[in-house]
Each structure stands twice: as C-alpha cells, then as structure tokens.
Amino acid sequence: MKKDEYLITDPPLKALTVFAMPIILGSFFQQVYNMADSIIVGQFVGSSALAAVGACAALTNVFICIALGAGVGAGVLVSRYFGAQDYGKMKTIVSTSLISFLLLSVFLGVFGFCTSHWMMSILQTPADIMKDAVLYLRIYFVGFPFLFMYNILSTMFTSIGESKIPLWLLIFSSVLNIIMDLWMVGGLKLGVFGAALATLIAAVLSLLIFLYRMRKYAGSFHWFDKKELRTMLKIAVPSILQQSTVSIGMMIVQAVVNPFGTQALAGYAATMRVENVFSLIFVSIGNAVSPFVSQNLGAGKIGRIKKGYRAALLLDVCFAVLAFVIIETMHTQISSLFLGKDGTELAYQVSGDYMKWLGYFFIFMGIKMATDGVLRGIGNMRPFLIANMVNLAIRLSVALIFAPRFGIAFVWLAVPAGWLANFVISYLALKKSWPKDILN
C-alpha cells in the first residue's frame, strides 16, 4: 500500500491523530492571525476599532462558511474515489469543483462589496463604528475569492490524506499576515491590504502545489462533468445550507448584541475570538473524521469507521479538558490582550462571563462535531442538516426572546444546550446508519 493511504491501513487512533493534528495546528495558526489582527487593532487603534472589526465577524463568517460547506461536498467524493483508487473520477471531481467554486467566489465577492453598507445597517451596527466597519468589510470582499479558493484547496488536500501541506501554508500565511499587520497598522495604517496580499500569496501557492500533487495519480479525467457536479452538490448544498444558516443565525445574534453598546460589543467580540480558537480544534477533528470515514468506505473497510469515531471522541475529551483549564486560569489575561488599557469594566465583565461559561461545555461541541463528521463521511446529510438547525433554533430563540428583556448573558447561556441537542439528534441518526445501511 502507498504511504499516503495510511488512513485506510494504520490503526484508527494513530491514523486519525497523525491526520488531525496538522489540521488542528493549521486552524490554530489561522486563528492566531485572526486574534493577532484583533490584538493589533485593539492595542494600536482602540476598543472602538476592535468593536468595528467584531461587528463584521458574524457576517464574514457567513461567506467563509459557504466555502467550507462547498469544500465538504467535493471532499467527501474525492476521499471516496481516493480510497477506491479510482483516480480518474477523483481528478474529475477536483477539476469540476475548482472551476465551479471559482465562479461562485467571484460572484459572492462582488455581491458582498456592493451591499456592505446595507448589510451592516441591517445588523444595527452602532453609528460610531459604522464607517470603519463598512471599510473593513469592503476590503475583505476584495480578497474574498482568494480566501474562498484557499479554503477549497485546503479541503482537497485533506481529502487525499495530506494535512501537512495546508499546515505549512497556513503557518506561512499567518506569520506573513501578522508581520504585515504590525507594519501597516502600526506604521502605514494600511493593515487590511497586507492581510489581503498574504492571503493571495497563500492561495496561489496552494493551487500550484495541489496541481503538482495531482500529477502523481494516473487516470484520464474530464475538466468539467455535469453528472459529477450534480452528485457533489447533493452533499455540498446541505452542507452549505448548514454552514451558512448557522452563521446567519450568529449574525442575528450579533444584531441582538449590538444595541447593548460599543463596549459590550467589544467584550463579546473578544470572547468570540477565543471561542473560535477552541471551537476550531473540535471542528478540525470533525473535519478529519469525514475523510477517514469516506476513504475507508470507498476501500470497503467498514469496521474501521466505528473505531475511528471512538478515536475522535477520545481526542475531543483531551482537548475539552485543556480548554477548560486554560480558560478557568487565564480568562482575565486573555481578555486584556484584546481590550487593552482602555477596555471598560463592562467590556471585561461581558468577556469574562461569556468565556468562563463556555469553558465548562466544550465537550458537547466536540462530540457533536465528531458525530457530524461521520454523517458527512457516509453522505447522510439530512439528519446532519436537521440537527444543526435545531442547534441554531435553540440558540436564536433564547437570544432573541430573553436577551433584550433580561440581559446580554442570555446570548450565550443557551449555547451548550444547542450543542447537546445537536449531538443527540445526530447520534440517533448515526445509530441507524452503521454498517448495514452503509453497505447498502
């Protein structure tokens, strides 16, 4: 067997750990840049500027989650054909995906740029940060096609069991982004342009390396195949709907937070950055599970799927304990990184309360993500979509009904309940989808 087929040959815990760790580290470095961006803005410009960036976060997540959801559809099929050693169909899916998603990314970039002010107005962005928020958002959408394709290519790499190349590219782009932010925000006041340039470089490098990698696999292929596109969309569309709808829900939650004022928003934005760091660990484990399951399904090694799921749950428990310890012991210091010296008591209180509450419940997110990862890997997207919608409905209903009446804390109090409900629904569906159904 080839070295790059370790996901279907090595012991499941070892294979999944070796595969998942670069994805986790890559997500960490990506979030290090996001946090550094917020820290640099907060320290050099102030908490109002941090609030402006934070006000855009939920909206930008909607668009990037479309890229992540689209990548899932292509990635599941690429993994399956890779496991079955049908490299011709695998390369057809790759080519079809890249062409289709490039066109989609350009359309979304133009749409976002033209409607930035309107979208921020709908979100009830505070007037004192509206101008900065719209400027940040428009520059984000100029570079959006590069960011979109970079995420698609990262998914392609992981689908064939290659998680180290995306890691090195993420480290490179993150370090380059931080250097450019320090130089341009601290000196030239043009930090966002530095970030856009670094993203462009990383996207181009990803494309060149991936195309070179594809030459290893022999097999005739078509540049564009409508039939394969339809097959891919059957998986991609539910994933896009789930990813983007959840992000839209978080955008609505953002609209609930905004009326509490700039300082409450700054505290909320600071903890959102921290939540994203830990959340992406569990998201990365779930994303690693999907190619593992799909490759073994394609190779006909059904018994390894359950073992891989248990291995993912073990990894989740370890990282959940780590997250709890870090947050409980360092939450004030972490908040101060973002809020700086001019952060008010309200900003620190909002940040600390939100952070400490979530620290107890990250295990719920972990088991949810691992279970969803298996469902994606076997292509069972309906319960995956339903479970995530229930999660969203719980979070939205509590935030919209109770937060305006009883305080901002209700924005995050229902988050663990949503994660737990998501897991229960996904797991009940998964129990019905184990070997007998998979083999059909």
Side-chain angles (χ1 to χ4, degrees), residues 312-328:
L313 294 179
L314 178 60
L315 291 174
D316 286 326
V317 170
C318 293
F319 280 107
V321 171
L322 178 64
F324 172 78
V325 171
I326 291 175
I327 287 175
E328 285 300 305

Side-chain angles (χ1 to χ4, degrees), residues 131-326:
K131 183 178 178 180
D132 288 340
V134 171
L135 175 62
Y136 179 89
L137 199 58
R138 283 178 174 166
I139 295 174
Y140 170 86
F141 280 118
V142 169
F144 179 74
F146 303 111
L147 184 61
F148 191 106
M149 296 308 295
Y150 176 64
N151 279 277
I152 293 293
L153 286 163
S154 294
T155 304
M156 295 291 186
F157 276 116
T158 56
S159 297
I160 60 174
E162 179 54 79
S163 54
K164 292 180 181 178
I165 291 177
L167 169 62
W168 291 116
L169 287 169
L170 276 168
I171 292 174
F172 166 77
S173 61
S174 298
V175 171
L176 187 59
N177 271 319
I178 292 171
I179 293 172
M180 289 186 170
D181 267 5
L182 285 169
W183 175 40
M184 293 187 175
V185 172
L188 304 180
K189 313 300 181 185
L190 297 172
V192 285
F193 292 104
L197 178 60
T199 302
L200 168 61
I201 294 171
V204 172
L205 282 175
S206 295
L207 179 60
L208 293 176
I209 294 172
F210 187 77
L211 292 178
Y212 176 77
R213 182 64 181 268
M214 283 293 100
R215 295 174 62 184
K216 288 179 55 178
Y217 305 108
S220 59
F221 71 100
H222 302 287
W223 287 101
F224 190 87
D225 188 309
K226 292 182 179 179
K227 182 179 178 181
E228 294 290 2
L229 177 62
R230 286 194 295 270
T231 303
M232 180 187 66
L233 290 177
K234 288 180 182 178
I235 301 175
V237 170
S239 185
I240 290 173
L241 286 174
Q242 179 267 324
Q243 295 269 11
S244 58
T245 305
V246 168
S247 291
I248 290 170
M250 295 305 97
M251 190 168 62
I252 296 172
V253 171
Q254 180 82 63
V256 175
V257 174
N258 287 343
F260 284 94
T262 299
Q263 289 304 313
L265 176 57
Y268 177 79
T271 300
M272 280 294 292
R273 295 295 193 188
V274 178
E275 181 187 351
N276 286 341
V277 171
F278 289 110
S279 295
L280 278 175
I281 293 174
F282 304 109
V283 170
S284 297
I285 294 172
N287 288 343
V289 169
S290 293
F292 177 90
V293 169
S294 194
Q295 282 195 27
N296 282 280
L297 181 60
K301 298 185 176 183
I302 306 302
R304 290 173 55 86
I305 295 176
K306 277 190 176 181
K307 294 178 181 178
Y309 177 53
R310 296 190 190 106
L313 294 179
L314 178 60
L315 291 174
D316 286 326
V317 170
C318 293
F319 280 107
V321 171
L322 178 64
F324 172 78
V325 171
I326 291 175

Side-chain angles (χ1 to χ4, degrees), residues 373-432:
V374 178
L375 288 173
R376 285 196 305 268
I378 64 178
N380 193 1
M381 301 301 291
R382 182 177 295 178
F384 164 78
L385 180 60
I386 293 172
N388 280 276
M389 294 303 100
V390 171
N391 176 8
L392 176 62
I394 292 172
R395 299 180 67 168
L396 278 181
S397 59
V398 173
L400 290 171
I401 295 171
F402 294 102
R405 294 173 174 81
F406 303 109
I408 193 173
F410 281 89
V411 169
W412 59 79
L413 288 179
V415 172
W419 290 342
L420 181 60
N422 189 156
F423 161 69
V424 171
I425 295 171
S426 294
Y427 184 72
L428 291 175
L430 186 58
K431 286 186 69 176
K432 298 178 181 179

